[in-house]
């Protein structure tokens, strides 16, 4: 039995974590509330612990930031410790922003209800069909060797047929298989952009949440979607040099706003980019989830001169774990990006490529029809809950498909405090600031992952947090 006072036990535990490398110099400690909950003590005890550790020189407070493990010499308390944080701090690759780090950490915690996650719920992912594919008699032809640099020829042929139904005409040599669309963005950043490049991006945008293009030190120019729609005939300045520029857009069922440009708007965007010599990266991973009727055609279907690099993926319609995406574009560009891909990882999993090939050939169309029915039902449930609990403090637009409702508070709200309180209440939200620094009064709701029977209760609980903590300013 440990007869030490509780505060001393906590100090010993923190010192032990440092000695075993679990806490390192420069790392931030959890908030006092979280530590009090972990050790089942009141916050006064945690304050005492922090005061003692500060007197030892082991932790230090940073104004408006929190408490961190100190870089000072504390050898009389710490017996062996390699500061990996120094190596991490020297890395040219920055960490994710705070919200993204916390979301990544919390998504897999027990009992966490995800109100913003952009993926299908486990019950909508066809794992049983994947097992059938692997057990089918044709699986004897499965190879787990490396595939060609541009990916499996059989899979590229299935993708060619898939995009043909969206009006895109291409050859298999113009397709490169990637490990999800995100790797396609990474390859474009590494293979086509230079520090002198100007990256023109719609805002708000998913690209701001992954930071794939921010770390190449290119100039990022944001064009608000409202500006694009209101200035569709004059997007770019006449006297500006757009050499080495590229325009990234998500023109159908945009993430996070669900905006879709009309055919006419897409024609104007393509024409102006051609006039200025600006290639387009079209991210089109949601268009198959258009709920009713036919979605607007992709920009790539209007492209007759290889001006558009087209990104697609099975992550949103089938399974994120398959890690199967693709880039379609100019043959020489595709060969170049495929070569870079081989340098990085020698290609997407051959097993995943085999499953994806069989999936697209035999199951895909009927599956997409089925999941759209589920998503429509969930969308209706979330809209009903928003109307019940949030319509007096914000607004949203009706959406024609995909996963997201882009909610705008029409009153000021302390979003950072709400984010932390929601986590404490086992609710995980996506603040709009993730997608644009100017979207501080927005939130991305998603109905694709959360269980249907938890939607109403979770939104009710979120509204209660807002009211009980007086977060509306």
């Amino acid at each position: 039995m440990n007869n030490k006072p509780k505060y001393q036990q906590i100090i010993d535990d923190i010192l032990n974590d440092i000695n075993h490398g679990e806490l390192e110099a420069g790392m931030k400690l959890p908030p006092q509330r979280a530590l009090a909950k972990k050790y089942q003590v009141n916050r006064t005890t945690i304050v005492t612990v922090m005061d003692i550790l500060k007197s030892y020189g082991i932790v230090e407070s940073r104004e408006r930031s929190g408490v961190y493990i100190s870089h000072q010499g504390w050898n009389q308390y710490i017996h062996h410790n390699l500061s990996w944080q120094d190596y991490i701090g020297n890395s040219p690759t920055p960490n994710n922003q705070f919200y993204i780090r916390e979301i990544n950490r919390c998504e897999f915690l027990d009992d966490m209800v995800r109100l913003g996650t952009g993926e299908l719920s486990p019950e909508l992912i066809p794992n049983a069909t994947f097992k059938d594919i692997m057990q089918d008699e044709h699986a004897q032809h499965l190879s787990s060797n490396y595939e060609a640099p541009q990916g499996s020829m059989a899979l590229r042929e299935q993708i060619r047929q898939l995009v043909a139904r969206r009006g895109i005409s291409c050859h298999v040599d113009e397709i490169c298989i990637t490990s999800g669309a995100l790797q396609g963005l990474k390859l474009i950043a590494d293979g086509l952009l230079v520090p002198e490049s100007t990256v023109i991006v719609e805002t708000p945008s998913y690209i701001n949440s992954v930071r794939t293009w921010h770390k190449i030190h290119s100039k990022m120019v944001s064009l608000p979607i409202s500006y694009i729609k209101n200035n569709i005939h004059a997007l770019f300045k006449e006297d500006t040099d757009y050499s080495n520029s590229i325009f990234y857009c998500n023109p159908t069922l945009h993430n996070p706003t669900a905006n879709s440009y009309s055919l006419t708007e897409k024609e104007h965007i393509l024409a102006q980019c051609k006039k200025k010599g600006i290639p387009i990266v079209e991210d089109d991973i949601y268009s198959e989830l258009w709920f009713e009727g036919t979605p607007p055609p992709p920009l790539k279907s209007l492209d007759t001169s290889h001006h558009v690099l087209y990104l697609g993926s099975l992550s949103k319609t089938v399974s994120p774990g398959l890690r199967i995406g693709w880039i379609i574009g100019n043959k020489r560009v595709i060969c170049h990006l495929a070569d870079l891909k081989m340098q990085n990882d020698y290609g997407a999993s051959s097993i995943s490529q085999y499953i994806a090939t069989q999936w697209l050939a035999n199951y895909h169309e009927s599956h997409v029809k089925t999941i759209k029915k589920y998503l429509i039902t969930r969308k209706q449930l979330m809209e009903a809950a928003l109307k019940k609990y949030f319509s007096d403090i914000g607004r949203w637009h009706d959406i024609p498909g995909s996963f997201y409702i882009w909610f705008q508070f029409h009153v000021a709200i302390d979003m950072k405090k709400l984010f932390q309180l929601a986590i404490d209440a086992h609710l995980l939200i996506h603040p709009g600031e993730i997608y644009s620094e100017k979207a501080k009064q927005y939130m991305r709701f998603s109905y694709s992952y959360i269980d249907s029977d938890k939607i109403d209760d979770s939104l009710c609980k979120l509204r209660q947090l807002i009211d009980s903590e007086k977060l509306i300013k």
Side-chain angles (χ1 to χ4, degrees), residues 419-432:
F419 180 76
Q420 190 58 58
L421 288 168
I423 288 175
D424 293 343
H426 303 284
L427 300 173
L428 190 58
I429 62 175
H430 281 227

Side-chain angles (χ1 to χ4, degrees), residues 27-249:
M27 289 181 65
K28 184 178 180 180
L29 288 173
Q32 290 181 3
R33 181 181 300 176
L35 288 172
K37 184 176 181 180
K38 175 182 177 181
Y39 291 107
Q40 298 183 322
V41 297
N42 58 43
R43 290 180 67 181
T44 304
T45 301
I46 298 300
V47 170
T48 299
V49 167
M50 292 300 116
D51 286 343
I52 293 172
L53 289 174
K54 287 175 188 175
S55 72
Y56 291 170
I58 290 173
V59 302
E60 60 187 12
S61 294
R62 299 181 189 174
E63 188 175 359
R64 298 182 181 179
S65 181
V67 178
Y68 292 77
I69 303 298
S70 174
H71 282 274
Q72 297 181 32
W74 19 249
N75 292 335
Q76 59 179 313
Y77 306 103
I78 307 301
H79 308 296
H80 52 82
N81 180 277
L82 175 64
S83 180
W84 282 111
Q85 190 62 32
D86 290 340
Y87 288 82
I88 295 169
N90 291 330
S91 169
T93 303
N95 290 102
N96 280 323
Q97 56 168 293
F98 168 75
Y99 283 134
I100 298 296
R101 289 202 311 270
E102 280 297 282
I103 288 169
N104 290 341
R105 179 182 71 84
C106 293
E107 279 194 327
F108 301 99
L109 297 179
D110 292 341
D111 301 324
M112 188 66 71
V113 178
R114 305 193 210 174
L115 281 168
T117 294
E119 64 185 79
L120 293 173
S121 66
E123 67 191 68
L124 297 180
I125 293 176
N127 292 309
T129 305
F130 297 158
K131 292 178 183 177
D132 291 342
I133 289 172
M134 293 300 292
Q135 293 171 357
D136 186 86
E137 60 181 15
H138 297 295
Q140 61 182 312
H141 301 297
L142 168 66
S143 169
S144 58
N145 291 98
Y146 294 126
E147 296 285 359
Q150 288 176 222
S152 158
M153 179 65 77
L155 177 53
R156 282 185 280 151
E157 172 56 28
Q158 288 300 323
I159 290 169
R160 186 195 67 77
Q161 294 180 33
L162 175 69
V163 299
R165 296 193 286 272
R166 293 278 284 123
I168 297 172
S169 176
C170 67
H171 190 273
V172 289
D173 289 343
E174 296 169 340
I175 302 172
C176 177
I177 306 302
T178 60
S179 298
L182 184 58
Q183 188 183 48
L185 294 172
K186 169 69 172 167
L187 290 174
I188 290 168
D190 291 345
L192 302 179
L193 302 180
V194 295
E196 293 76 25
S197 296
T198 297
V199 182
I200 305 166
V201 182
E202 297 169 298
T203 189
S205 176
Y206 158 80
I207 199 72
N208 291 322
S209 71
V210 293
R211 305 283 169 169
T212 302
W213 289 354
H214 292 66
K215 61 190 178 189
I216 59 173
H217 306 299
S218 295
K219 181 182 179 182
M220 302 288 291
V221 175
S222 296
L223 288 184
I225 292 174
S226 57
Y227 174 89
I228 293 173
K229 296 178 83 69
N230 292 331
N231 296 273
I232 198 66
H233 298 285
L235 293 178
F236 307 112
K237 297 177 181 178
E238 289 295 331
D239 58 349
T240 300
D241 180 12
Y242 288 97
S243 301
N244 298 313
S245 296
I246 201 164
F247 178 50
Y248 169 83
C249 60

Side-chain angles (χ1 to χ4, degrees), residues 308-364:
V308 177
L309 285 173
Y310 180 85
L311 299 178
S313 173
L314 295 181
S315 293
K316 303 303 179 182
T317 54
V318 185
S319 167
L322 270 183
R323 306 310 304 137
I324 293 295
W326 52 87
I327 310 174
I328 300 175
N330 173 277
K331 182 178 178 180
R332 287 186 296 118
V333 172
I334 292 300
C335 287
H336 172 57
L337 298 181
D339 178 63
L340 289 180
K341 179 170 172 53
M342 292 298 281
Q343 295 178 43
N344 286 329
D345 67 1
Y346 252 82
S349 161
S350 55
I351 296 174
S352 289
Q353 291 189 65
Y354 174 80
I355 293 173
T357 302
Q358 300 304 314
W359 172 267
L360 288 172
N362 301 293
Y363 305 97
H364 187 66

Side-chain angles (χ1 to χ4, degrees), residues 32 54 65 102 143 216 252 282 379 397 410 448 467:
Q32 290 181 3
K54 287 175 188 175
S65 181
E102 280 297 282
S143 169
I216 59 173
T252 304
E282 179 181 16
K379 172 202 166 191
H397 297 290
H410 40 232
S448 61
D467 292 343

